[in-house]
Amino acid sequence: MRLQLCTWPEIETYLARSTGIIVPIGSTEQHGPNGLIGTDAICPEVVAAEVGERIGALVAPTLSIGMAQHHLAFPGSLALRPTTLIAVIRDVVQSLAVHGFRHVYFFNGHGGNVATAHAAFAEIHSDASFAGGEGGLRLKLANWYMGGRVQRLSRELFADSEGSHATPSEISLTWHAHPDRARPMTMTPRLAPQAEFGDARDYRQKFPDGRIGSDPSLASIEAGTRLFEASVVDTIEDYQAFLAQG
Amino acid sequence: MRLQLCTWPEIETYLARSTGIIVPIGSTEQHGPNGLIGTDAICPEVVAAEVGERIGALVAPTLSIGMAQHHLAFPGSLALRPTTLIAVIRDVVQSLAVHGFRHVYFFNGHGGNVATAHAAFAEIHSDASFAGGEGGLRLKLANWYMGGRVQRLSRELFADSEGSHATPSEISLTWHAHPDRARPMTMTPRLAPQAEFGDARDYRQKFPDGRIGSDPSLASIEAGTRLFEASVVDTIEDYQAFLAQG
Amino acid sequence: MRLQLCTWPEIETYLARSTGIIVPIGSTEQHGPNGLIGTDAICPEVVAAEVGERIGALVAPTLSIGMAQHHLAFPGSLALRPTTLIAVIRDVVQSLAVHGFRHVYFFNGHGGNVATAHAAFAEIHSDASFAGGEGGLRLKLANWYMGGRVQRLSRELFADSEGSHATPSEISLTWHAHPDRARPMTMTPRLAPQAEFGDARDYRQKFPDGRIGSDPSLASIEAGTRLFEASVVDTIEDYQAFLAQG
Amino acid sequence: MRLQLCTWPEIETYLARSTGIIVPIGSTEQHGPNGLIGTDAICPEVVAAEVGERIGALVAPTLSIGMAQHHLAFPGSLALRPTTLIAVIRDVVQSLAVHGFRHVYFFNGHGGNVATAHAAFAEIHSDASFAGGEGGLRLKLANWYMGGRVQRLSRELFADSEGSHATPSEISLTWHAHPDRARPMTMTPRLAPQAEFGDARDYRQKFPDGRIGSDPSLASIEAGTRLFEASVVDTIEDYQAFLAQG
Amino acid sequence: MRLQLCTWPEIETYLARSTGIIVPIGSTEQHGPNGLIGTDAICPEVVAAEVGERIGALVAPTLSIGMAQHHLAFPGSLALRPTTLIAVIRDVVQSLAVHGFRHVYFFNGHGGNVATAHAAFAEIHSDASFAGGEGGLRLKLANWYMGGRVQRLSRELFADSEGSHATPSEISLTWHAHPDRARPMTMTPRLAPQAEFGDARDYRQKFPDGRIGSDPSLASIEAGTRLFEASVVDTIEDYQAFLAQG
Amino acid sequence: MRLQLCTWPEIETYLARSTGIIVPIGSTEQHGPNGLIGTDAICPEVVAAEVGERIGALVAPTLSIGMAQHHLAFPGSLALRPTTLIAVIRDVVQSLAVHGFRHVYFFNGHGGNVATAHAAFAEIHSDASFAGGEGGLRLKLANWYMGGRVQRLSRELFADSEGSHATPSEISLTWHAHPDRARPMTMTPRLAPQAEFGDARDYRQKFPDGRIGSDPSLASIEAGTRLFEASVVDTIEDYQAFLAQG
């Protein structure tokens, strides 16, 4: 169930049976020479949509722009400052809370969002904590690429060529979703470098084509299809466990 | 060209020929008994995508959540506070400016966004103005439902039954985009009331089923298809005029 | 009744009979070669004061500095960033609400304030809407130059020479208020240009003497006196209708 | 010279001879049983206007609403939160700096503004200090009631009945400015209590009629006229010394 | 009692007998050629610790970084913007209020904090005042160097050589606390200049070695020991009076 | 070298040989029945001080109050909202950057700070990234309890009784630092529960005495001394590697 494709009376009905919702969250940023700029939004979006279909979970529209300041030296990358993203997540959660949603499951495609999303959760909980009351909200961030099945499959498929940005796994998954956009390409060097980084210029100096530690020449639609299925199963399991916590 | 489906080298190439981009902006909010909650995001998204195809314009991911505090008494509505939306628009524009985009065309589906978007533009321009410098940015908000062809067609099709929220025009357009979601339905009363409103409870008291002044029972896929085409042509014309201003 | 010239027991008495107040809001910014920098504050201030006298309405002190970043390339212009003006309007309205005022009528003299003021109203309403409660506040922005009588009279007096900044109408009204400041002057070119604009430098490049589309050489004290009377009558009518909405 | 009554070319001319400006700042808040709500704005406004006339100093429009949260339990009081007032002062100073003003003299009528105004000055200076640069701005807050001549005259006229809020001095000065608003009245008790206070309810519990330590029954138009003259002379001296500091 | 060295059950017990707490607040900034950068934090910290021991008062950890933008041109100085410090003080007070503390006594070592701390108190009180409720919080800022005994002793010891920054009194007190850090040194010129200042570069131009009006060559451990005792007694008296206000 | 105990000329000298600084960051929050409220600040503070001594590294004053909203239902806990802590970290780093520090090593004692600190780093880097420039700052957060030697020793000493809050390791370390505060105590139940948590009331309901998964009855001064030494060595190694990255 996609929230955008429901009417409000349908949501009223849904709330009588569930207080949970999945909110895909990603980023719009460079993903190396042949990766799609929307990779980190597309991955959680397509998996969440399928999860929603299979188990009747409601899925919010994707928060497509994330905390990606370090990618701004590559054309096309968009970024929200952390304090902006905190405000966005706060407003979305508080909107949902007005309606009676209590379990908000952010399904994430971008490592750069993790810290800020957790800071946002704490900012939201602070309202109740400083008021001495009980907010009653359950907030979780789950990364599609961290699911157990996905991690095992990535290791099996790509081993040490997975890297951490513009990975063959995520690029495969986007090609599964948009096969017409599959652009197999050799990489030079085959494996991108690994390093710590700070701001955008520092990032680009260290990772000239945008990749970190990965070899996306290994990506394929077939791998993407297997990763998609693995992630859907991981996520159904994890989301249902989240709801079951009460 | 959808930004999310491009690679960064493709955007680098694009920037050599154009400094313009279309950013669809909408809302996720109730649209009456049979309107989709995503109506205001879907409408500009589908029109912008087609505009992008026809003229090779770059289209950013849709900002799907807007200034919709007045709809929060209806389940499923999401809202950003105005100050949050201002921060989002500022960060998006400043991201684009890093890359050399100078013409940012926000293509809007939600009346509630208009004031806040203009406040955001002024907030962005303030940086240059207070610094005594030249920001050089051209920012425009265009509403799909205000295009000349669209307005003439809406009047022809729906006359005084158009109203101003959950209109037969916008609902028709979403049915054009998602024909499986078309849910023809009679309305009681046929025409919804009209009034000024303030916060969410006030809104719901005045508009119990969410509509303002409209009769969406008149909506149809056929009307949506005609409105779609009208809006695409309106928007190509308006966007090209915007770029031509220099 | 000017709030500044009352005592608090007088306001306590007033609140027993009315929950309405008029808050003039303007700007302090260049108004062309012979227009007063305070034009946009003076116009609503003098009209509101007279309205207050005639019908016993309470009038707050004028918010004299507005959203005017685009005028900052002309000496003497002052501006509040939109987010600052939002905070000011929010604090003023929340102050009034503490005392039991429910109808706050912002009477405006500056087009640049319109979007930001509406964003501010939405920010204020958001508090109630996100809390799931009823704020009960009625907020309106009315522009003196948009009243029916004023518009008809401006058209009659100045036709296509009215323009949209440093208009003969507003300049006439300030001369009615400050006849010793009347400075008739010919303009070169007679009619100023019209265009879209962004930040302050862009504005000054397009409108070198500050006017937009107007010929203030037509301004006169006599016209100002007629416009003053027209605006007072327009405003009494509009304010009373606002209160009558409940 | 009132900024609001000048044209921008006149300000351009002024800046060639002076980089100084006087910005009256006050408050709109209860002033006891017979004091005007606008007392703290009116006092600096009328003195500043006269100073401007006598020495050709430019005077900005009065910032009429101040940091007055503690008065909100009395009808008619308006307040800006400290963070809002900081933003206002910052924007005003930065606007002036764009034009080349370097000496901004805030002429204040309200004790409650003092801490926040100084915090605002530090916020403004922080921009230059954190950037490692030289802002070159000179900012001062001067309180009309702290001038040497004013203090001596207040002591001579009212001795221990002056108190610290709704003082006979400030009320006399407003009656000098608005003689038709003079409302002599006996006070019960004659002298209001003195105490520390926190929020608005605490304030009203401790000072039931709004006064602190004062006996405004001693106020008179005659005293106001003498105080006005004393303050004008104090202020000319202090403002000129401020400019002379370089 | 140092809060950091207690367990939460001990604080629960403490709250049954007292709602008061002492929060030392200082700064980390240059203190002239031989003064410690931590002077303004060390002074209130050591005095507060002793006060806590003698009368069983709870002492929070020191807020060691203050409003010190004007010192940023000297290596090692740290500063919080005023709006940041306001947020810190607000969060600390609101944390304490959750537990039932009602009397929060900020014990300060830095003149630059005074205005901002008072603005912070007003920001905190604003929450209750705008809500029309009673916050019930008592907030006080006391400066160790303003105590009666301390002022008399400083005058006796250092007379006109005390100055206002890097004073022999504060430097003596830090040497009492850290005798191994005592670094007697002659000063050139003996007395530092006095002046108004704005941002950091302005400060350094006027006070090349960091001192204002002081001769810290007079500092001694012995003087520090006497000042320490004087401040402890001043503070016990003042804090108990604060609690006794109710 | 403790920054607070240096003079500014000493820091000027230090900067000629190093651009690095260690900033201890912790929290002031409940640590179970017998753990000190200052545990998370004391641990990094004492280790950092020793590291500073051994290798001549500069150590800033400890940021003692952290992101601890979830502990607010236990008396004595203090918390900064995430957005406040972001502002604090930003101001501290920007202060250091003014002086030429380029490597800022936050040495942390509190898991709750991690996400917010990383969000703060991204907020700081955003300034350079959105400006299209190179900030050149290297920012790192290192947790004392995550060092290799510390982790091995904790496992050896406490195995599965370590848990994740009020751990025997951290309590041992505070007892090493403050042996007079060692309060051995049996725990009921011996091992505290483990769970996900949200706001403060939720936390207290799940962890009634404040511990998470730990048995601090195993804590000892002796263990603390060993952990201290392990952490000092871990940290010297990690800090030097951080500086060596360039």
Side-chain angles (χ1 to χ4, degrees):
Chain A
M1 296 180 65
R2 287 180 52 195
L3 173 60
Q4 289 195 305
L5 299 185
C6 295
T7 64
W8 73 258
E10 290 168 346
I11 302 304
E12 193 168 58
T13 301
Y14 175 87
L15 279 160
R17 67 174 169 87
S18 176
T19 61
I21 188 167
I22 300 172
V23 184
I25 178 169
S27 187
T28 297
E29 64 184 43
Q30 68 83 17
H31 269 76
N34 69 342
L36 305 183
I37 285 175
T39 296
D40 287 352
I42 292 165
C43 291
E45 185 168 281
V46 297
V47 172
E50 180 68 12
V51 169
E53 285 308 303
R54 291 200 194 168
I55 64 169
L58 191 63
V59 181
T62 303
L63 303 180
S64 301
I65 306 177
M67 207 307 293
Q69 59 83 22
H70 44 302
H71 294 293
L72 283 172
F74 290 92
S77 300
L78 303 182
L80 299 184
R81 286 172 174 85
T83 44
T84 302
L85 185 53
I86 288 172
V88 168
I89 292 174
R90 180 199 63 196
D91 286 4
V92 168
V93 170
Q94 291 181 347
S95 296
L96 291 166
V98 171
H99 308 311
F101 289 97
R102 283 185 62 241
H103 296 81
V104 187
Y105 184 89
F106 286 86
F107 188 55
N108 182 43
H110 173 49
N113 287 339
V114 176
T116 298
H118 282 117
F121 295 171
E123 188 83 14
I124 294 164
H125 288 312
S126 292
D127 282 347
S129 297
F130 276 96
E134 160 76 77
L137 288 170
R138 305 289 172 244
L139 307 174
K140 177 167 185 174
L141 186 82
N143 303 298
W144 81 265
Y145 51 86
M146 297 290 281
R149 290 165 187 81
V150 166
Q151 291 241 316
R152 283 189 296 276
L153 184 54
S154 289
R155 187 171 306 274
E156 171 196 328
L157 291 168
F158 308 120
D160 293 341
S161 302
E162 174 73 358
S164 59
H165 186 70
T167 68
S169 291
E170 61 188 352
I171 288 177
S172 296
L173 181 46
T174 63
W175 290 356
H176 162 78
H178 295 278
D180 57 314
R181 295 286 165 166
R183 294 182 178 78
M185 188 184 287
T186 57
M187 297 284 147
T188 310
R190 195 184 64 74
L191 272 189
Q194 303 256 21
E196 298 293 314
F197 54 86
D199 57 34
R201 188 169 297 185
D202 183 45
Y203 184 105
R204 185 147 188 179
Q205 286 170 346
K206 288 173 175 159
F207 315 108
D209 69 2
R211 297 174 295 142
I212 304 181
S214 66
D215 176 11
S217 73
L218 302 175
S220 71
I221 295 173
E222 296 67 27
T225 302
R226 291 178 65 193
L227 285 159
F228 172 75
E229 183 61 25
S231 184
V232 168
V233 179
D234 278 343
T235 306
I236 287 173
E237 192 174 282
D238 191 55
Y239 177 66
Q240 289 179 331
F242 171 61
L243 295 183
Q245 278 172 23
Chain B
M1 294 180 67
R2 287 179 53 195
L3 173 61
Q4 290 195 304
L5 300 185
C6 294
T7 63
W8 73 258
E10 290 168 346
I11 302 304
E12 196 168 57
T13 301
Y14 176 87
L15 279 160
R17 66 173 169 87
S18 175
T19 60
I21 187 168
I22 300 173
V23 183
I25 178 170
S27 185
T28 297
E29 64 183 43
Q30 67 84 18
H31 270 78
N34 70 341
L36 304 183
I37 285 174
T39 296
D40 287 354
I42 293 165
C43 292
E45 184 167 282
V46 297
V47 172
E50 180 68 12
V51 169
E53 286 308 304
R54 292 199 193 168
I55 64 171
L58 190 63
V59 181
T62 304
L63 303 180
S64 301
I65 306 179
M67 207 306 293
Q69 57 84 23
H70 44 301
H71 293 293
L72 282 173
F74 290 92
S77 300
L78 303 182
L80 299 184
R81 285 173 175 83
T83 45
T84 302
L85 185 54
I86 288 172
V88 168
I89 292 173
R90 180 200 64 197
D91 286 4
V92 168
V93 169
Q94 291 181 345
S95 295
L96 291 166
V98 171
H99 308 310
F101 289 97
R102 284 186 62 243
H103 295 82
V104 188
Y105 184 88
F106 287 86
F107 187 54
N108 181 44
H110 174 50
N113 286 340
V114 176
T116 297
H118 283 116
F121 295 171
E123 189 82 15
I124 295 164
H125 288 311
S126 292
D127 282 349
S129 297
F130 276 96
E134 160 76 75
L137 288 169
R138 304 289 174 244
L139 307 174
K140 177 168 185 174
L141 186 82
N143 303 296
W144 79 266
Y145 51 87
M146 298 290 284
R149 290 164 186 80
V150 166
Q151 290 241 317
R152 283 190 295 276
L153 184 54
S154 289
R155 186 171 306 275
E156 171 195 329
L157 291 167
F158 307 120
D160 294 341
S161 301
E162 174 72 359
S164 58
H165 187 70
T167 68
S169 291
E170 62 189 350
I171 288 177
S172 296
L173 181 48
T174 62
W175 291 356
H176 163 78
H178 296 277
D180 57 315
R181 295 286 165 165
R183 294 181 178 79
M185 188 184 289
T186 57
M187 298 284 148
T188 311
R190 196 183 64 74
L191 271 189
Q194 303 255 22
E196 298 292 315
F197 56 86
D199 58 34
R201 188 169 296 185
D202 182 45
Y203 184 103
R204 184 147 187 179
Q205 285 169 347
K206 288 173 175 159
F207 315 107
D209 69 2
R211 297 174 294 142
I212 304 181
S214 68
D215 175 12
S217 72
L218 302 175
S220 70
I221 295 173
E222 295 69 26
T225 303
R226 293 179 64 193
L227 285 159
F228 173 76
E229 183 62 25
S231 184
V232 168
V233 180
D234 279 341
T235 305
I236 288 173
E237 191 174 282
D238 190 56
Y239 176 67
Q240 290 178 330
F242 171 63
L243 295 183
Q245 277 171 24
Chain C
M1 294 180 67
R2 288 179 53 196
L3 174 60
Q4 290 195 304
L5 300 185
C6 294
T7 64
W8 73 258
E10 290 168 346
I11 302 305
E12 194 168 57
T13 300
Y14 175 87
L15 279 160
R17 67 173 169 86
S18 176
T19 60
I21 188 167
I22 299 172
V23 183
I25 179 169
S27 186
T28 297
E29 63 183 44
Q30 67 84 16
H31 269 76
N34 69 342
L36 304 183
I37 285 174
T39 295
D40 287 353
I42 293 166
C43 291
E45 184 168 282
V46 297
V47 172
E50 180 69 12
V51 169
E53 286 307 303
R54 291 198 194 169
I55 64 169
L58 191 63
V59 180
T62 303
L63 303 180
S64 301
I65 307 177
M67 207 306 292
Q69 58 84 23
H70 43 302
H71 293 294
L72 282 173
F74 291 91
S77 300
L78 303 181
L80 299 183
R81 285 172 175 84
T83 45
T84 302
L85 185 53
I86 288 172
V88 168
I89 292 174
R90 180 200 64 196
D91 286 3
V92 168
V93 169
Q94 291 181 346
S95 295
L96 290 167
V98 171
H99 308 311
F101 289 96
R102 285 186 61 242
H103 296 81
V104 187
Y105 184 89
F106 287 86
F107 187 56
N108 182 44
H110 173 50
N113 287 338
V114 175
T116 297
H118 283 117
F121 295 170
E123 188 82 15
I124 294 165
H125 288 312
S126 291
D127 282 346
S129 297
F130 276 97
E134 160 75 78
L137 288 170
R138 305 289 173 246
L139 307 174
K140 177 167 185 173
L141 186 81
N143 302 297
W144 80 265
Y145 51 86
M146 297 291 282
R149 290 165 187 81
V150 166
Q151 291 241 315
R152 283 190 295 276
L153 184 54
S154 289
R155 186 171 306 274
E156 172 196 326
L157 291 167
F158 308 119
D160 293 342
S161 301
E162 175 71 0
S164 59
H165 187 70
T167 68
S169 291
E170 61 188 351
I171 287 176
S172 296
L173 181 47
T174 63
W175 291 356
H176 163 77
H178 295 278
D180 56 314
R181 296 286 164 166
R183 294 181 178 79
M185 189 185 286
T186 57
M187 297 284 147
T188 310
R190 195 184 63 74
L191 270 189
Q194 304 256 20
E196 297 292 315
F197 56 86
D199 57 34
R201 189 170 297 185
D202 183 45
Y203 185 105
R204 184 147 187 178
Q205 286 169 345
K206 288 173 175 160
F207 315 107
D209 69 2
R211 297 174 296 142
I212 304 181
S214 67
D215 176 12
S217 72
L218 302 175
S220 70
I221 295 174
E222 295 67 29
T225 302
R226 292 178 64 192
L227 285 159
F228 172 76
E229 183 62 26
S231 183
V232 168
V233 179
D234 278 344
T235 306
I236 288 173
E237 192 174 282
D238 191 55
Y239 176 66
Q240 289 179 331
F242 171 61
L243 295 183
Q245 278 172 24
Chain D
M1 294 181 68
R2 287 180 52 196
L3 174 60
Q4 289 194 304
L5 300 185
C6 295
T7 64
W8 73 258
E10 290 167 347
I11 302 304
E12 196 168 56
T13 301
Y14 175 88
L15 280 159
R17 65 173 169 88
S18 175
T19 61
I21 187 168
I22 300 172
V23 183
I25 179 169
S27 185
T28 297
E29 63 183 43
Q30 68 83 18
H31 269 77
N34 70 340
L36 304 184
I37 284 174
T39 296
D40 287 353
I42 293 165
C43 291
E45 183 167 283
V46 296
V47 172
E50 180 68 13
V51 168
E53 287 307 304
R54 291 198 194 169
I55 63 170
L58 191 64
V59 181
T62 303
L63 304 180
S64 301
I65 306 178
M67 207 306 292
Q69 58 84 22
H70 45 302
H71 293 293
L72 283 173
F74 290 91
S77 300
L78 303 181
L80 299 184
R81 285 172 176 83
T83 44
T84 303
L85 185 53
I86 287 171
V88 168
I89 292 174
R90 181 200 63 197
D91 287 2
V92 168
V93 169
Q94 292 181 344
S95 296
L96 291 166
V98 171
H99 308 311
F101 290 96
R102 284 186 61 243
H103 295 81
V104 188
Y105 184 88
F106 286 86
F107 188 55
N108 181 44
H110 174 49
N113 286 340
V114 176
T116 297
H118 282 116
F121 295 171
E123 189 82 15
I124 295 164
H125 288 312
S126 292
D127 283 348
S129 297
F130 276 96
E134 160 76 77
L137 288 169
R138 304 290 174 244
L139 307 174
K140 177 167 186 175
L141 186 81
N143 302 297
W144 79 266
Y145 51 86
M146 297 290 283
R149 290 166 186 80
V150 166
Q151 290 240 318
R152 282 190 294 277
L153 183 54
S154 289
R155 186 172 305 274
E156 170 195 329
L157 290 168
F158 307 120
D160 294 341
S161 301
E162 175 72 359
S164 59
H165 186 69
T167 68
S169 290
E170 64 189 348
I171 288 177
S172 295
L173 180 48
T174 62
W175 290 357
H176 163 78
H178 296 279
D180 57 315
R181 295 286 165 166
R183 293 181 179 80
M185 188 184 287
T186 57
M187 297 285 148
T188 309
R190 196 182 63 74
L191 272 189
Q194 302 255 21
E196 298 292 313
F197 56 86
D199 58 33
R201 188 170 297 184
D202 182 45
Y203 184 104
R204 184 146 187 179
Q205 286 169 346
K206 288 174 175 158
F207 315 107
D209 69 2
R211 297 174 294 143
I212 304 181
S214 68
D215 176 12
S217 72
L218 302 176
S220 70
I221 295 174
E222 295 70 27
T225 302
R226 292 179 63 192
L227 285 158
F228 172 76
E229 183 62 27
S231 184
V232 169
V233 180
D234 279 342
T235 306
I236 288 173
E237 192 174 281
D238 190 56
Y239 177 67
Q240 290 179 330
F242 171 62
L243 294 184
Q245 277 171 24
Chain E
M1 295 180 68
R2 287 179 53 195
L3 174 60
Q4 289 194 304
L5 299 185
C6 295
T7 64
W8 73 258
E10 290 169 345
I11 302 304
E12 194 167 58
T13 300
Y14 175 87
L15 280 160
R17 65 173 170 87
S18 176
T19 60
I21 188 167
I22 299 172
V23 183
I25 178 169
S27 186
T28 297
E29 63 182 44
Q30 67 84 16
H31 269 78
N34 70 341
L36 305 183
I37 284 174
T39 295
D40 287 353
I42 292 166
C43 291
E45 185 168 281
V46 297
V47 172
E50 179 68 12
V51 169
E53 286 307 304
R54 292 199 194 169
I55 63 169
L58 192 62
V59 180
T62 302
L63 304 180
S64 300
I65 306 177
M67 207 307 293
Q69 59 83 22
H70 44 303
H71 294 292
L72 283 172
F74 291 91
S77 301
L78 303 181
L80 299 183
R81 284 172 177 83
T83 45
T84 302
L85 185 53
I86 288 172
V88 169
I89 293 174
R90 181 199 64 196
D91 287 3
V92 168
V93 169
Q94 291 181 346
S95 295
L96 291 166
V98 171
H99 308 311
F101 290 96
R102 284 185 62 241
H103 295 82
V104 188
Y105 184 89
F106 287 86
F107 188 55
N108 181 44
H110 174 49
N113 287 339
V114 175
T116 297
H118 282 117
F121 295 171
E123 189 82 15
I124 295 165
H125 288 312
S126 292
D127 283 346
S129 297
F130 276 96
E134 160 76 77
L137 288 170
R138 305 288 173 245
L139 307 174
K140 177 167 184 174
L141 186 82
N143 302 297
W144 79 266
Y145 50 87
M146 297 290 282
R149 290 166 187 80
V150 166
Q151 292 241 316
R152 282 189 296 276
L153 185 53
S154 290
R155 186 171 306 273
E156 171 196 327
L157 291 168
F158 308 120
D160 292 343
S161 302
E162 174 72 359
S164 60
H165 186 69
T167 69
S169 291
E170 63 189 350
I171 288 177
S172 296
L173 180 47
T174 62
W175 291 356
H176 162 77
H178 295 278
D180 57 314
R181 296 286 165 166
R183 293 182 179 77
M185 188 184 286
T186 56
M187 298 284 147
T188 309
R190 196 183 63 74
L191 271 190
Q194 303 256 21
E196 298 292 313
F197 55 87
D199 58 34
R201 188 169 297 186
D202 182 44
Y203 184 104
R204 184 147 188 179
Q205 286 169 344
K206 288 173 176 159
F207 315 107
D209 68 3
R211 297 174 295 142
I212 305 180
S214 67
D215 176 11
S217 72
L218 302 175
S220 71
I221 295 174
E222 295 68 28
T225 302
R226 292 178 66 191
L227 285 159
F228 172 75
E229 182 62 26
S231 183
V232 168
V233 179
D234 278 343
T235 306
I236 288 174
E237 192 174 282
D238 191 55
Y239 177 65
Q240 290 179 330
F242 171 61
L243 295 183
Q245 277 172 26
Chain F
M1 294 181 67
R2 288 179 52 196
L3 174 60
Q4 289 194 305
L5 300 186
C6 295
T7 64
W8 73 259
E10 291 168 345
I11 302 304
E12 196 168 56
T13 301
Y14 176 88
L15 280 160
R17 65 173 170 88
S18 176
T19 60
I21 187 167
I22 300 173
V23 183
I25 179 170
S27 186
T28 297
E29 62 183 44
Q30 68 83 17
H31 270 77
N34 70 341
L36 304 184
I37 285 174
T39 295
D40 287 354
I42 292 165
C43 292
E45 184 168 282
V46 296
V47 172
E50 180 67 13
V51 169
E53 286 307 303
R54 292 200 193 167
I55 62 170
L58 190 63
V59 181
T62 304
L63 303 180
S64 301
I65 306 178
M67 207 307 290
Q69 57 84 22
H70 44 303
H71 293 293
L72 282 173
F74 291 91
S77 301
L78 302 182
L80 299 184
R81 285 172 175 84
T83 44
T84 302
L85 185 54
I86 288 171
V88 168
I89 292 173
R90 180 200 63 197
D91 287 3
V92 168
V93 169
Q94 291 181 345
S95 296
L96 291 166
V98 171
H99 308 311
F101 289 97
R102 284 185 62 243
H103 295 82
V104 188
Y105 184 88
F106 286 86
F107 187 55
N108 181 44
H110 174 51
N113 287 340
V114 175
T116 298
H118 283 117
F121 295 170
E123 188 82 16
I124 295 164
H125 288 311
S126 292
D127 282 348
S129 297
F130 276 97
E134 160 76 75
L137 288 170
R138 304 289 175 245
L139 308 175
K140 177 167 185 174
L141 186 81
N143 302 297
W144 79 266
Y145 50 87
M146 298 291 282
R149 290 165 186 81
V150 166
Q151 290 240 318
R152 283 190 294 277
L153 184 55
S154 289
R155 185 171 307 274
E156 170 196 327
L157 291 168
F158 308 120
D160 294 342
S161 301
E162 174 72 359
S164 58
H165 187 69
T167 68
S169 291
E170 62 189 350
I171 288 177
S172 295
L173 181 47
T174 62
W175 291 356
H176 162 77
H178 295 278
D180 57 313
R181 295 286 165 166
R183 293 181 178 79
M185 190 184 286
T186 57
M187 298 284 148
T188 310
R190 195 183 64 75
L191 272 189
Q194 303 254 24
E196 298 292 315
F197 55 86
D199 58 33
R201 190 170 296 185
D202 183 43
Y203 185 105
R204 184 147 187 178
Q205 286 169 346
K206 287 173 177 160
F207 315 108
D209 69 2
R211 297 175 294 143
I212 305 181
S214 67
D215 175 11
S217 72
L218 302 175
S220 70
I221 295 173
E222 294 68 28
T225 302
R226 293 179 63 192
L227 287 158
F228 172 76
E229 183 61 27
S231 183
V232 168
V233 179
D234 278 343
T235 306
I236 287 173
E237 192 174 282
D238 191 55
Y239 176 67
Q240 289 178 331
F242 171 62
L243 294 183
Q245 277 171 25

